């Protein structure tokens, strides 16, 4: 039995100005051949689970590519075709099944449905090929994905700490199918709901109840997998938004019933999927009045983990103006500033034009650096290994990094985009976040993986950036209409 195992993953923010070329995949992690197994085999990534379940059945494993890039703008045609070609060639060489780790919100320069296009091409090569697919909770599910997969599943956690388990589940389903032990059939659907990422945390409602329903459904013996996707509203493509898929053992009617039930429950909760904004100064005022610590402050509109530039200074400037004291910040993307700080050396006083290096044409906004003085507190190579639950075991490369200390505020400055979802973002540069009053993170929900336990209070700060939750700033062109909450009086029923 020969099994192709591959990862091709990107959450595309079509409003992001950051180019997603092959170099960007290499920056976060792009491996080919046996390097996939040595780099990821002992992590908690889906490909590791796939390799383990396939090995347990004595399968011959082929790993043509495992590539992921930090979320950013559309994937270049060249990068997309490079990955697709590697996977297609491995399948064309002959195999009995494919186990794929995809995201489900990949937009490339020449296709709005990156995953559906890949899967359709694989089925063109091998029409009956059993294919397992894991998707992110932020997957925008499409008909092409379902039509060309054997079984598809999504993460049930946000922050995503169950990547390994869901891949183990769907990998087992498809390996069983290959050995004639089951016959997976799927029903899927979506609702006209562009749900917002900030409202999709699985420790909060409504996702907590939706995931609980999925787990209830999965307890039925005929049901193999049940998933509700929050979707990714910042990928402007026709199927963006909330969806569901249920996999049963050869019972299409049952899959349909459960899928419709999940969709109804999602639609009923639609108002809870819309973020309620509040003025920045008001939120900072509340944080300042709070006596507990540490307090987490979320600069969620500039979250590079959803495609932001990570160099918007609006919130940091407001926190400095409000004279909050004992603040640590992770992180500002500014390779130029790191170079300046490296040249000055640890202990030197520097004046920087920090951040604001990237324009955001889709928001009609130009980059605004912040003039700031401080001392260079630390310099590192930006490399560390994740010890927390999300991406456990993976080596992070933030690029050359530095800490700027203004007296009241210590800012981690990085050369590669990196969302702070693990304490390592601070500890690798000598900061113990739990010993500071305010921990300001350019993150939305993933920070919870590493920081939820230490947070006494959390405040969302509404700044600027291409991960804004303010829909009035985003000009949609491709998403199906009408859709809630962009349009009024949207109806949906089953
Ligand atoms: Zn996600």
């Amino acid at each position: 039995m020969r099994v192709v195992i591959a990862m091709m993953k990107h959450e595309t923010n079509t409003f992001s100005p950051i180019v997603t070329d092959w170099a960007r995949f290499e920056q976060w992690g792009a491996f080919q051949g046996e390097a996939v197994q040595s780099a990821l085999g002992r992590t908690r990534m889906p490909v590791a689970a796939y390799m383990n379940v396939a090995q347990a059945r004595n399968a011959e494993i082929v790993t043509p590519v495992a590539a992921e890039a930090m979320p950013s703008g559309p994937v270049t045609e060249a990068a997309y075709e490079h990955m697709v070609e590697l996977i297609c060639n491995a399948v064309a060489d002959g195999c009995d099944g494919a186990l794929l780790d995809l995201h489900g919100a990949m937009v490339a320069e020449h296709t709005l449905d990156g995953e559906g296009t890949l899967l359709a091409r694989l089925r063109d090569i091998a029409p009956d090929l059993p294919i397992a697919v894991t998707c992110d909770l932020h997957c925008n599910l499409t008909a092409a994905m379902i039509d060309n997969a054997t079984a598809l599943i999504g993460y049930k956690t946000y922050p995503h700490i169950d990547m390994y388990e869901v891949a183990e589940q769907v990998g087992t389903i498809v390996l069983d199918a290959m050995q004639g032990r089951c016959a997976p059939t799927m029903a899927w659907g979506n609702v006209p709901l562009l749900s917002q990422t900030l409202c999709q945390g699985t420790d909060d409602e409504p996702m907590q109840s939706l995931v609980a329903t999925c787990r209830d459904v999965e307890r039925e013996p005929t049901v193999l997998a049940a998933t509700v996707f929050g979707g990714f509203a910042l990928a402007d493509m026709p199927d963006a938004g909330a969806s569901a898929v249920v996999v049963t053992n050869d019972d299409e009617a049952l899959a349909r019933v459960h899928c419709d039930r999940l969709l109804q429950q999602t639609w009923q909760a639609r108002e809870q999927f819309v973020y309620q904004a509040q003025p920045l100064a008001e939120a900072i005022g509340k944080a300042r009045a709070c006596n507990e610590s540490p307090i987490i402050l979320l600069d969620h509109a500039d979250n590079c983990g959803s495609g932001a530039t990570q160099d918007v200074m609006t919130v940091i400037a407001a926190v400095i103006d409000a004279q909050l004291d004992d603040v640590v910040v992770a992180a500002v993307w500014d390779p130029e500033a790191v170079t300046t700080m490296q040249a000055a050396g640890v202990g030197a006083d520097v004046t920087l034009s920090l951040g604001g290096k990237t324009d955001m044409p889709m928001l009609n906004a130009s980059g605004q650096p912040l003039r700031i003085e401080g001392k260079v507190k630390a310099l590192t190579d930006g490399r560390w290994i994740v010890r927390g639950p999300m991406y456990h075991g993976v080596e992070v490369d933030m690029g050359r990094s530095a800490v700027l200390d203004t007296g009241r505020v210590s800012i981690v400055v990085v050369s590669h985009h990196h969302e702070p979802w693990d304490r390592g973002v601070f500890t690798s540069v000598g900061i113990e976040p739990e010993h500071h009053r305010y921990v300001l993170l350019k993150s939305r929900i993933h920070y919870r993986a590493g920081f939820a336990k230490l947070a006494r209070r959390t405040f969302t700060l509404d700044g600027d950036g291409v991960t804004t939750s303010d829909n009035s700033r985003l000009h949609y062109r491709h998403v199906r209409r009408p859709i809630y909450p962009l349009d009024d009086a949207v109806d949906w029923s089953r």
Side-chain angles (χ1 to χ4, degrees):
M1 187 163 70
R2 192 165 186 264
V3 177
V4 170
I5 294 173
M7 168 171 87
M8 181 181 104
K9 217 147 67 167
H10 187 248
E11 181 181 82
T12 305
N13 179 333
T14 54
F15 302 98
S16 172
I18 302 166
V19 173
T20 309
D21 53 12
W22 185 241
R24 187 164 173 87
F25 280 90
E26 288 181 319
Q27 198 174 83
W28 177 246
F31 309 97
Q32 292 177 41
E34 288 185 1
V36 174
Q37 297 171 47
S38 51
L40 301 173
R42 280 187 279 179
T43 66
R44 299 295 288 175
M45 296 291 286
V47 286
Y50 283 154
M51 289 189 273
N52 288 338
V53 292
Q55 261 156 9
R57 299 191 193 206
N58 297 316
E60 180 196 346
I61 293 170
V62 185
T63 49
V65 64
E68 179 174 11
M70 266 277 150
S72 42
V75 178
T76 63
E77 184 170 351
Y80 179 85
E81 292 299 334
H82 178 53
M83 294 182 282
V84 169
E85 191 183 354
L86 288 166
I87 299 170
C88 285
N89 286 348
V91 167
D93 286 345
C95 67
D96 301 296
L99 310 179
L100 305 179
D101 176 18
L102 310 177
H103 186 291
M106 181 185 279
V107 175
E109 288 173 326
H110 58 312
T111 172
L112 291 169
D113 180 7
E115 290 83 0
T117 302
L118 164 73
L119 291 165
R121 286 200 206 167
L122 290 176
R123 278 283 166 83
D124 276 348
I125 296 166
D128 300 319
L129 186 71
I131 301 177
V133 178
T134 57
C135 288
D136 194 278
L137 181 137
H138 301 112
C139 160
N140 292 327
L141 197 57
T142 70
M145 291 168 70
I146 298 295
D147 289 348
N148 297 292
T150 306
L152 185 146
I153 194 171
Y155 309 152
K156 288 186 175 64
T157 57
Y158 182 25
H160 310 323
I161 54 171
D162 63 341
M163 297 183 196
Y164 187 94
E165 288 76 11
V166 296
E168 198 172 40
Q169 186 178 346
V170 77
T172 300
I173 293 168
V174 170
L175 288 167
D176 281 349
M178 287 160 63
Q179 296 178 328
R181 295 184 198 166
C182 70
T185 183
M186 291 191 281
W188 82 288
N190 58 25
V191 288
L193 165 61
L194 211 48
S195 94
Q196 291 185 307
T197 316
L198 263 177
C199 306
Q200 294 176 6
T202 47
D203 290 330
D204 306 329
E205 291 300 350
M207 281 306 285
Q208 192 174 49
S209 291
L210 284 163
V211 169
T213 304
C214 289
R215 291 197 196 282
D216 280 347
V217 169
E218 285 182 344
R219 278 186 203 106
E220 283 195 33
T222 315
V223 176
L224 301 173
T227 305
V228 166
F229 292 108
F232 188 56
L234 296 168
D236 181 16
M237 51 88 76
D239 289 298
S243 63
V245 58
V246 175
V247 189
T248 61
N249 185 8
D250 204 20
D251 191 338
E252 202 173 335
L254 184 70
R256 186 77 264 155
V257 165
H258 284 309
C259 180
D260 286 348
R261 186 176 147 214
L262 288 167
L263 291 171
Q264 270 160 4
Q265 191 180 337
T266 305
W267 182 244
Q268 278 160 8
R270 61 192 174 279
E271 288 176 12
Q272 289 174 274
F273 279 114
V274 181
Y275 175 67
Q276 302 302 320
Q278 72 173 318
L280 179 55
E282 198 177 302
I284 291 177
K286 284 181 191 167
R288 189 166 42 184
C290 190
N291 289 324
E292 297 159 285
S293 78
I295 295 168
I296 302 262
L297 306 173
L298 297 174
D299 183 2
H300 60 90
D302 191 33
N303 167 30
C304 75
S306 299
T309 60
Q310 206 179 4
D311 70 343
V312 180
M313 303 304 288
T314 318
V315 165
I316 295 171
V319 162
I320 290 172
D321 284 350
Q323 299 193 328
L324 295 194
D325 199 11
D326 193 15
V327 186
V328 290
V329 182
V332 172
W333 176 85
D334 192 338
E336 221 177 289
V338 174
T339 300
T340 304
M341 286 192 276
Q342 279 193 319
V346 171
D349 293 315
V350 290
T351 302
L352 301 171
S353 284
L354 187 63
K357 303 295 192 295
T358 322
D359 294 337
M360 296 173 283
M362 297 290 274
L363 260 55
N364 214 5
S366 52
Q368 304 284 337
L370 176 70
R371 194 164 172 81
I372 190 167
E373 293 173 8
K375 198 178 276 297
V376 180
K377 192 79 179 173
L379 295 167
T380 76
D381 65 0
R383 286 177 176 271
W384 48 276
I385 292 175
V386 179
R387 298 297 178 206
M390 192 174 142
Y391 283 91
H392 182 87
V394 171
E395 185 181 26
V396 167
D397 180 5
M398 306 192 295
R400 296 170 304 117
S401 302
V403 177
L404 180 75
D405 182 358
T406 71
R408 291 180 188 273
V409 181
S410 292
I411 304 172
V412 181
V413 188
V414 297
S415 301
H416 295 168
H417 295 110
H418 177 72
E419 182 180 353
W421 34 252
D422 191 86
R423 288 175 75 257
V425 70
F426 285 116
T427 55
S428 67
V429 295
I431 294 172
E432 300 288 337
E434 53 271 45
H435 298 312
H436 295 274
R437 183 158 164 72
Y438 298 101
V439 180
L440 171 51
L441 301 171
K442 284 184 178 284
S443 178
R444 303 213 276 197
I445 302 286
H446 279 323
Y447 78 93
R448 293 179 183 178
F451 297 95
K453 278 189 194 146
L454 70 87
R456 301 302 296 269
R457 292 289 302 274
T458 301
F459 295 91
T460 50
L461 305 184
D462 300 356
D464 300 310
V466 297
T467 58
T468 180
S469 296
D470 178 358
N471 284 325
S472 70
R473 303 200 62 187
L474 304 169
H475 302 290
Y476 283 92
R477 292 185 300 143
H478 300 293
V479 74
R480 66 197 183 283
R481 306 297 286 260
I483 195 163
Y484 181 85
L486 300 186
D487 301 302
D488 299 327
V490 184
D491 285 329
W492 180 85
S493 64
R494 265 283 193 270

